[in-house]
Amino acid sequence: MQNASTPSSRQTIGVSLVDGDSTIRHARQLMLRSEDYDVRSYATCAALLADPRSRDYPCIILDLEMEDVDGLALLREMRGSGWRGKAILLDGLDPGSAMLIEAERHGDTLFARNIGNRALLTEIASSIDHGWAGWNAED
């Protein structure tokens, strides 16, 4: 159900969700869909990269605690293939880490993996409001 503060135009906003934990991925996917986001979920970074439609989605939620994940390499490859969205990285990285510094340089954000639903929704809306509107206007 859509709440009064939720813009109806969000129904066309896509979010890519990458999480190796199927239980968490499914729960977040259901939550995002209940908020009218168009969600594509992936168990691996390779699956995200293999899906050409993932470049059309303005936001990637990426769990960095998966095996063999190099989140920055994934984002570099996505950006190199034309994606200009924002990423929400979920992990417990130390402030000042190289990954955090590079992520912030691109407007991406880092949160603890156990971020709550409201905080995650707020961050998605913020990342789309600041990063995607200009992209759509250019296309």
Side-chain angles (χ1 to χ4, degrees), residues 76-103:
R76 284 184 205 117
E77 192 162 340
M78 287 292 289
R79 288 186 171 105
S81 68
W83 180 73
R84 292 186 281 177
K86 301 295 179 198
I88 299 171
L89 308 172
L90 304 178
D91 194 25
L93 294 176
D94 296 324
S97 71
M99 180 177 279
L100 180 58
I101 292 168
E102 183 170 336

PDB file of all heavy atoms in Angstrom, residues 76-103:
ATOM      1  N   ARG A  76      32.580  -0.098 -10.833  1.00  0.00           N
ATOM      2  CA  ARG A  76      33.391   0.410 -11.947  1.00  0.00           C
ATOM      3  C   ARG A  76      32.921  -0.204 -13.263  1.00  0.00           C
ATOM      4  O   ARG A  76      32.796   0.485 -14.280  1.00  0.00           O
ATOM      5  CB  ARG A  76      34.869   0.089 -11.725  1.00  0.00           C
ATOM      6  CG  ARG A  76      35.544   0.980 -10.713  1.00  0.00           C
ATOM      7  CD  ARG A  76      37.036   0.657 -10.624  1.00  0.00           C
ATOM      8  NE  ARG A  76      37.529   1.038  -9.331  1.00  0.00           N
ATOM      9  CZ  ARG A  76      38.038   0.205  -8.422  1.00  0.00           C
ATOM     10  NH1 ARG A  76      38.166  -1.085  -8.683  1.00  0.00           N
ATOM     11  NH2 ARG A  76      38.445   0.657  -7.258  1.00  0.00           N
ATOM     12  N   GLU A  77      32.666  -1.509 -13.255  1.00  0.00           N
ATOM     13  CA  GLU A  77      32.212  -2.172 -14.477  1.00  0.00           C
ATOM     14  C   GLU A  77      30.829  -1.674 -14.893  1.00  0.00           C
ATOM     15  O   GLU A  77      30.570  -1.450 -16.080  1.00  0.00           O
ATOM     16  CB  GLU A  77      32.195  -3.691 -14.277  1.00  0.00           C
ATOM     17  CG  GLU A  77      32.008  -4.420 -15.578  1.00  0.00           C
ATOM     18  CD  GLU A  77      32.400  -5.883 -15.510  1.00  0.00           C
ATOM     19  OE1 GLU A  77      33.152  -6.286 -14.609  1.00  0.00           O
ATOM     20  OE2 GLU A  77      31.943  -6.623 -16.396  1.00  0.00           O
ATOM     21  N   MET A  78      29.935  -1.499 -13.928  1.00  0.00           N
ATOM     22  CA  MET A  78      28.603  -0.970 -14.246  1.00  0.00           C
ATOM     23  C   MET A  78      28.725   0.431 -14.842  1.00  0.00           C
ATOM     24  O   MET A  78      28.104   0.733 -15.855  1.00  0.00           O
ATOM     25  CB  MET A  78      27.723  -0.938 -12.995  1.00  0.00           C
ATOM     26  CG  MET A  78      27.242  -2.306 -12.527  1.00  0.00           C
ATOM     27  SD  MET A  78      26.072  -3.087 -13.653  1.00  0.00           S
ATOM     28  CE  MET A  78      24.634  -2.048 -13.392  1.00  0.00           C
ATOM     29  N   ARG A  79      29.528   1.282 -14.216  1.00  0.00           N
ATOM     30  CA  ARG A  79      29.686   2.652 -14.731  1.00  0.00           C
ATOM     31  C   ARG A  79      30.369   2.650 -16.092  1.00  0.00           C
ATOM     32  O   ARG A  79      30.039   3.448 -16.958  1.00  0.00           O
ATOM     33  CB  ARG A  79      30.440   3.500 -13.720  1.00  0.00           C
ATOM     34  CG  ARG A  79      29.580   3.823 -12.505  1.00  0.00           C
ATOM     35  CD  ARG A  79      30.220   4.794 -11.526  1.00  0.00           C
ATOM     36  NE  ARG A  79      29.242   5.172 -10.538  1.00  0.00           N
ATOM     37  CZ  ARG A  79      29.223   4.722  -9.282  1.00  0.00           C
ATOM     38  NH1 ARG A  79      30.165   3.899  -8.844  1.00  0.00           N
ATOM     39  NH2 ARG A  79      28.268   5.106  -8.443  1.00  0.00           N
ATOM     40  N   GLY A  80      31.309   1.747 -16.291  1.00  0.00           N
ATOM     41  CA  GLY A  80      31.979   1.631 -17.571  1.00  0.00           C
ATOM     42  C   GLY A  80      31.047   1.183 -18.690  1.00  0.00           C
ATOM     43  O   GLY A  80      31.291   1.452 -19.862  1.00  0.00           O
ATOM     44  N   SER A  81      29.968   0.518 -18.318  1.00  0.00           N
ATOM     45  CA  SER A  81      29.008   0.045 -19.323  1.00  0.00           C
ATOM     46  C   SER A  81      27.847   1.021 -19.499  1.00  0.00           C
ATOM     47  O   SER A  81      26.869   0.700 -20.172  1.00  0.00           O
ATOM     48  CB  SER A  81      28.486  -1.341 -18.951  1.00  0.00           C
ATOM     49  OG  SER A  81      27.678  -1.274 -17.796  1.00  0.00           O
ATOM     50  N   GLY A  82      27.963   2.195 -18.867  1.00  0.00           N
ATOM     51  CA  GLY A  82      26.962   3.227 -19.092  1.00  0.00           C
ATOM     52  C   GLY A  82      26.015   3.501 -17.940  1.00  0.00           C
ATOM     53  O   GLY A  82      25.223   4.436 -18.007  1.00  0.00           O
ATOM     54  N   TRP A  83      26.073   2.721 -16.880  1.00  0.00           N
ATOM     55  CA  TRP A  83      25.184   2.951 -15.737  1.00  0.00           C
ATOM     56  C   TRP A  83      25.644   4.209 -15.002  1.00  0.00           C
ATOM     57  O   TRP A  83      26.828   4.398 -14.745  1.00  0.00           O
ATOM     58  CB  TRP A  83      25.216   1.749 -14.799  1.00  0.00           C
ATOM     59  CG  TRP A  83      24.347   1.880 -13.594  1.00  0.00           C
ATOM     60  CD1 TRP A  83      22.991   1.808 -13.562  1.00  0.00           C
ATOM     61  CD2 TRP A  83      24.772   2.073 -12.243  1.00  0.00           C
ATOM     62  NE1 TRP A  83      22.541   1.954 -12.263  1.00  0.00           N
ATOM     63  CE2 TRP A  83      23.613   2.120 -11.448  1.00  0.00           C
ATOM     64  CE3 TRP A  83      26.022   2.222 -11.637  1.00  0.00           C
ATOM     65  CZ2 TRP A  83      23.666   2.297 -10.070  1.00  0.00           C
ATOM     66  CZ3 TRP A  83      26.078   2.393 -10.275  1.00  0.00           C
ATOM     67  CH2 TRP A  83      24.906   2.438  -9.504  1.00  0.00           C
ATOM     68  N   ARG A  84      24.704   5.093 -14.667  1.00  0.00           N
ATOM     69  CA  ARG A  84      25.051   6.332 -13.977  1.00  0.00           C
ATOM     70  C   ARG A  84      24.256   6.530 -12.703  1.00  0.00           C
ATOM     71  O   ARG A  84      24.063   7.659 -12.258  1.00  0.00           O
ATOM     72  CB  ARG A  84      24.830   7.522 -14.913  1.00  0.00           C
ATOM     73  CG  ARG A  84      25.815   7.515 -16.066  1.00  0.00           C
ATOM     74  CD  ARG A  84      25.704   8.743 -16.888  1.00  0.00           C
ATOM     75  NE  ARG A  84      24.553   8.604 -17.789  1.00  0.00           N
ATOM     76  CZ  ARG A  84      24.140   9.524 -18.609  1.00  0.00           C
ATOM     77  NH1 ARG A  84      24.740  10.669 -18.678  1.00  0.00           N
ATOM     78  NH2 ARG A  84      23.096   9.317 -19.392  1.00  0.00           N
ATOM     79  N   GLY A  85      23.795   5.461 -12.127  1.00  0.00           N
ATOM     80  CA  GLY A  85      22.998   5.547 -10.914  1.00  0.00           C
ATOM     81  C   GLY A  85      23.851   5.650  -9.664  1.00  0.00           C
ATOM     82  O   GLY A  85      25.050   5.965  -9.713  1.00  0.00           O
ATOM     83  N   LYS A  86      23.222   5.380  -8.552  1.00  0.00           N
ATOM     84  CA  LYS A  86      23.881   5.413  -7.243  1.00  0.00           C
ATOM     85  C   LYS A  86      23.765   4.045  -6.590  1.00  0.00           C
ATOM     86  O   LYS A  86      22.817   3.308  -6.826  1.00  0.00           O
ATOM     87  CB  LYS A  86      23.237   6.460  -6.327  1.00  0.00           C
ATOM     88  CG  LYS A  86      23.278   7.869  -6.877  1.00  0.00           C
ATOM     89  CD  LYS A  86      24.684   8.377  -6.987  1.00  0.00           C
ATOM     90  CE  LYS A  86      24.691   9.785  -7.558  1.00  0.00           C
ATOM     91  NZ  LYS A  86      25.975  10.168  -8.055  1.00  0.00           N
ATOM     92  N   ALA A  87      24.735   3.741  -5.757  1.00  0.00           N
ATOM     93  CA  ALA A  87      24.747   2.467  -5.052  1.00  0.00           C
ATOM     94  C   ALA A  87      24.596   2.689  -3.552  1.00  0.00           C
ATOM     95  O   ALA A  87      25.117   3.663  -3.003  1.00  0.00           O
ATOM     96  CB  ALA A  87      26.041   1.708  -5.329  1.00  0.00           C
ATOM     97  N   ILE A  88      23.883   1.783  -2.946  1.00  0.00           N
ATOM     98  CA  ILE A  88      23.793   1.709  -1.493  1.00  0.00           C
ATOM     99  C   ILE A  88      24.531   0.440  -1.118  1.00  0.00           C
ATOM    100  O   ILE A  88      24.099  -0.669  -1.454  1.00  0.00           O
ATOM    101  CB  ILE A  88      22.331   1.680  -1.025  1.00  0.00           C
ATOM    102  CG1 ILE A  88      21.622   2.961  -1.457  1.00  0.00           C
ATOM    103  CG2 ILE A  88      22.257   1.479   0.489  1.00  0.00           C
ATOM    104  CD1 ILE A  88      20.120   2.943  -1.240  1.00  0.00           C
ATOM    105  N   LEU A  89      25.674   0.607  -0.480  1.00  0.00           N
ATOM    106  CA  LEU A  89      26.533  -0.511  -0.126  1.00  0.00           C
ATOM    107  C   LEU A  89      26.253  -0.915   1.315  1.00  0.00           C
ATOM    108  O   LEU A  89      26.240  -0.057   2.204  1.00  0.00           O
ATOM    109  CB  LEU A  89      27.991  -0.109  -0.303  1.00  0.00           C
ATOM    110  CG  LEU A  89      28.336   0.481  -1.677  1.00  0.00           C
ATOM    111  CD1 LEU A  89      29.747   1.034  -1.684  1.00  0.00           C
ATOM    112  CD2 LEU A  89      28.141  -0.559  -2.761  1.00  0.00           C
ATOM    113  N   LEU A  90      26.043  -2.195   1.522  1.00  0.00           N
ATOM    114  CA  LEU A  90      25.723  -2.691   2.860  1.00  0.00           C
ATOM    115  C   LEU A  90      26.879  -3.522   3.381  1.00  0.00           C
ATOM    116  O   LEU A  90      27.242  -4.546   2.802  1.00  0.00           O
ATOM    117  CB  LEU A  90      24.434  -3.531   2.810  1.00  0.00           C
ATOM    118  CG  LEU A  90      23.213  -2.822   2.224  1.00  0.00           C
ATOM    119  CD1 LEU A  90      22.025  -3.767   2.188  1.00  0.00           C
ATOM    120  CD2 LEU A  90      22.895  -1.567   3.001  1.00  0.00           C
ATOM    121  N   ASP A  91      27.472  -3.056   4.467  1.00  0.00           N
ATOM    122  CA  ASP A  91      28.628  -3.721   5.055  1.00  0.00           C
ATOM    123  C   ASP A  91      28.934  -3.063   6.380  1.00  0.00           C
ATOM    124  O   ASP A  91      28.176  -2.232   6.855  1.00  0.00           O
ATOM    125  CB  ASP A  91      29.825  -3.607   4.103  1.00  0.00           C
ATOM    126  CG  ASP A  91      30.962  -4.543   4.464  1.00  0.00           C
ATOM    127  OD1 ASP A  91      30.717  -5.580   5.100  1.00  0.00           O
ATOM    128  OD2 ASP A  91      32.108  -4.238   4.100  1.00  0.00           O
ATOM    129  N   GLY A  92      30.069  -3.349   6.917  1.00  0.00           N
ATOM    130  CA  GLY A  92      30.507  -2.719   8.144  1.00  0.00           C
ATOM    131  C   GLY A  92      31.898  -2.158   7.994  1.00  0.00           C
ATOM    132  O   GLY A  92      32.738  -2.344   8.862  1.00  0.00           O
ATOM    133  N   LEU A  93      32.180  -1.496   6.890  1.00  0.00           N
ATOM    134  CA  LEU A  93      33.516  -0.969   6.636  1.00  0.00           C
ATOM    135  C   LEU A  93      33.886   0.138   7.614  1.00  0.00           C
ATOM    136  O   LEU A  93      33.036   0.880   8.084  1.00  0.00           O
ATOM    137  CB  LEU A  93      33.619  -0.425   5.217  1.00  0.00           C
ATOM    138  CG  LEU A  93      33.492  -1.441   4.098  1.00  0.00           C
ATOM    139  CD1 LEU A  93      33.512  -0.739   2.757  1.00  0.00           C
ATOM    140  CD2 LEU A  93      34.610  -2.447   4.169  1.00  0.00           C
ATOM    141  N   ASP A  94      35.171   0.225   7.844  1.00  0.00           N
ATOM    142  CA  ASP A  94      35.679   1.268   8.724  1.00  0.00           C
ATOM    143  C   ASP A  94      35.640   2.622   8.028  1.00  0.00           C
ATOM    144  O   ASP A  94      35.925   2.723   6.839  1.00  0.00           O
ATOM    145  CB  ASP A  94      37.136   0.969   9.113  1.00  0.00           C
ATOM    146  CG  ASP A  94      37.261  -0.302   9.918  1.00  0.00           C
ATOM    147  OD1 ASP A  94      36.356  -0.579  10.733  1.00  0.00           O
ATOM    148  OD2 ASP A  94      38.264  -1.020   9.716  1.00  0.00           O
ATOM    149  N   PRO A  95      35.319   3.684   8.793  1.00  0.00           N
ATOM    150  CA  PRO A  95      35.389   5.030   8.202  1.00  0.00           C
ATOM    151  C   PRO A  95      36.803   5.288   7.697  1.00  0.00           C
ATOM    152  O   PRO A  95      37.774   4.893   8.307  1.00  0.00           O
ATOM    153  CB  PRO A  95      35.055   5.947   9.387  1.00  0.00           C
ATOM    154  CG  PRO A  95      34.352   5.072  10.370  1.00  0.00           C
ATOM    155  CD  PRO A  95      34.911   3.685  10.174  1.00  0.00           C
ATOM    156  N   GLY A  96      36.902   5.909   6.551  1.00  0.00           N
ATOM    157  CA  GLY A  96      38.202   6.218   5.990  1.00  0.00           C
ATOM    158  C   GLY A  96      38.783   5.116   5.122  1.00  0.00           C
ATOM    159  O   GLY A  96      39.876   5.277   4.578  1.00  0.00           O
ATOM    160  N   SER A  97      38.083   3.988   4.978  1.00  0.00           N
ATOM    161  CA  SER A  97      38.598   2.913   4.142  1.00  0.00           C
ATOM    162  C   SER A  97      38.609   3.363   2.681  1.00  0.00           C
ATOM    163  O   SER A  97      37.845   4.234   2.273  1.00  0.00           O
ATOM    164  CB  SER A  97      37.746   1.646   4.295  1.00  0.00           C
ATOM    165  OG  SER A  97      36.484   1.832   3.678  1.00  0.00           O
ATOM    166  N   ALA A  98      39.474   2.754   1.898  1.00  0.00           N
ATOM    167  CA  ALA A  98      39.589   3.111   0.480  1.00  0.00           C
ATOM    168  C   ALA A  98      38.260   2.900  -0.236  1.00  0.00           C
ATOM    169  O   ALA A  98      37.870   3.711  -1.081  1.00  0.00           O
ATOM    170  CB  ALA A  98      40.685   2.280  -0.181  1.00  0.00           C
ATOM    171  N   MET A  99      37.542   1.833   0.100  1.00  0.00           N
ATOM    172  CA  MET A  99      36.262   1.568  -0.543  1.00  0.00           C
ATOM    173  C   MET A  99      35.256   2.661  -0.224  1.00  0.00           C
ATOM    174  O   MET A  99      34.552   3.146  -1.104  1.00  0.00           O
ATOM    175  CB  MET A  99      35.700   0.213  -0.120  1.00  0.00           C
ATOM    176  CG  MET A  99      34.354  -0.095  -0.783  1.00  0.00           C
ATOM    177  SD  MET A  99      33.719  -1.704  -0.369  1.00  0.00           S
ATOM    178  CE  MET A  99      34.669  -2.693  -1.504  1.00  0.00           C
ATOM    179  N   LEU A 100      35.209   3.067   1.032  1.00  0.00           N
ATOM    180  CA  LEU A 100      34.269   4.110   1.431  1.00  0.00           C
ATOM    181  C   LEU A 100      34.603   5.434   0.747  1.00  0.00           C
ATOM    182  O   LEU A 100      33.717   6.128   0.256  1.00  0.00           O
ATOM    183  CB  LEU A 100      34.273   4.278   2.953  1.00  0.00           C
ATOM    184  CG  LEU A 100      33.339   5.333   3.515  1.00  0.00           C
ATOM    185  CD1 LEU A 100      31.894   5.063   3.107  1.00  0.00           C
ATOM    186  CD2 LEU A 100      33.450   5.385   5.029  1.00  0.00           C
ATOM    187  N   ILE A 101      35.870   5.769   0.679  1.00  0.00           N
ATOM    188  CA  ILE A 101      36.284   7.023   0.038  1.00  0.00           C
ATOM    189  C   ILE A 101      35.904   7.027  -1.435  1.00  0.00           C
ATOM    190  O   ILE A 101      35.336   7.993  -1.946  1.00  0.00           O
ATOM    191  CB  ILE A 101      37.802   7.257   0.230  1.00  0.00           C
ATOM    192  CG1 ILE A 101      38.087   7.537   1.717  1.00  0.00           C
ATOM    193  CG2 ILE A 101      38.298   8.396  -0.656  1.00  0.00           C
ATOM    194  CD1 ILE A 101      39.549   7.493   2.091  1.00  0.00           C
ATOM    195  N   GLU A 102      36.156   5.933  -2.154  1.00  0.00           N
ATOM    196  CA  GLU A 102      35.793   5.880  -3.574  1.00  0.00           C
ATOM    197  C   GLU A 102      34.282   5.879  -3.756  1.00  0.00           C
ATOM    198  O   GLU A 102      33.762   6.537  -4.644  1.00  0.00           O
ATOM    199  CB  GLU A 102      36.386   4.651  -4.257  1.00  0.00           C
ATOM    200  CG  GLU A 102      36.074   4.647  -5.741  1.00  0.00           C
ATOM    201  CD  GLU A 102      36.819   3.599  -6.527  1.00  0.00           C
ATOM    202  OE1 GLU A 102      37.889   3.144  -6.097  1.00  0.00           O
ATOM    203  OE2 GLU A 102      36.326   3.239  -7.604  1.00  0.00           O
ATOM    204  N   ALA A 103      33.582   5.162  -2.911  1.00  0.00           N
ATOM    205  CA  ALA A 103      32.121   5.125  -3.011  1.00  0.00           C
ATOM    206  C   ALA A 103      31.541   6.522  -2.844  1.00  0.00           C
ATOM    207  O   ALA A 103      30.684   6.952  -3.628  1.00  0.00           O
ATOM    208  CB  ALA A 103      31.552   4.178  -1.960  1.00  0.00           C
TER     209      ALA A 103
END
